Amino acid sequence: QMKMFLTRLGEGSRMVVTGDPTQVDLPNGISSGLADAVATLKGVVRSDGTVNVSILQLFAPDLRADGNSTINVAVTGTLDKPRFGGAVELAGVQLEVPAAQVAVEDLRGRFELEGDTLRLDGVGGLLNGGKLTLTGQAKLTPRGLEAIDIHGVSKGSAWNVPEGLQTAANADLRLTGDQRRLAASGTVD
């Protein structure tokens, strides 16, 4: 009965199930529906909805961010060994670092979470007015991002380099390493 009830609960619905797990009238060795539901849902945290990316400014004060992301993420496992799954979808996100004169507009794409791996899927937008595409992946660890391997291609981006001189540039760059030590390689022309 419990399984039937749980599988027919509509999307976006909320439910509170209470009961006494010691009150079971089933033969020994057969678990109750309540016990099965508790075991199935134990250790599962889900987050589905829309989040404004301006929350990133809490972690990077020099960043200006705006726009919505759609999240569909689940965390299972234990506190010692969490396992992530799901995705974060960006649509029309704006990012700016004024001190570096860097602006990313209309950022779109998907960040896939599978276990400890974060993958960029079809991520792109405009970098200082030029086309930007990003691919790659990184590992999520308790120490932060590791095994970063991100490939970025930018065409026709405008830069104020050297200061006072407007320059258009194309770049094909790869970032590797971890969040404490990143290495960049590639070409800028």
Side-chain angles (χ1 to χ4, degrees), residues 62-85:
D62 296 335
L63 175 71
R64 291 187 190 154
D66 192 34
N68 288 326
S69 63
T70 303
I71 60 172
N72 178 349
V73 177
V75 182
T76 60
T78 65
L79 288 175
D80 294 339
K81 293 183 180 178
R83 181 159 174 82
F84 298 91

Side-chain angles (χ1 to χ4, degrees), residues 143-181:
R143 294 171 302 283
L145 291 176
E146 295 183 354
I148 297 169
D149 186 3
I150 306 292
H151 180 226
V153 176
S154 171
K155 297 189 186 271
S157 296
W159 300 93
N160 190 21
V161 176
E163 179 102 19
L165 178 65
Q166 287 291 326
T167 309
N170 299 322
D172 186 338
L173 300 173
R174 174 167 251 118
L175 289 176
T176 55
D178 63 44
Q179 69 184 34
R180 290 177 273 323
R181 178 179 272 174

Side-chain angles (χ1 to χ4, degrees), residues 28-39:
N28 283 340
I30 297 177
S31 63
S32 71
L34 179 59
D36 282 343
V38 168

Side-chain angles (χ1 to χ4, degrees), residues 76-158:
T76 60
T78 65
L79 288 175
D80 294 339
K81 293 183 180 178
R83 181 159 174 82
F84 298 91
V88 176
E89 185 92 28
L90 304 178
V93 168
Q94 316 298 316
L95 304 172
E96 183 181 4
V97 182
Q101 298 181 12
V102 173
V104 177
E105 300 173 315
D106 197 27
L107 187 62
R108 298 177 178 278
R110 191 172 173 91
F111 293 80
E112 295 279 344
L113 293 164
E114 186 177 326
D116 65 352
T117 302
L118 172 67
R119 280 190 191 77
L120 283 68
D121 185 20
V123 177
L126 298 173
L127 172 64
N128 289 2
K131 184 178 178 182
L132 170 68
T133 57
L134 298 168
T135 59
Q137 65 183 28
K139 297 282 184 195
L140 297 170
T141 73
R143 294 171 302 283
L145 291 176
E146 295 183 354
I148 297 169
D149 186 3
I150 306 292
H151 180 226
V153 176
S154 171
K155 297 189 186 271
S157 296

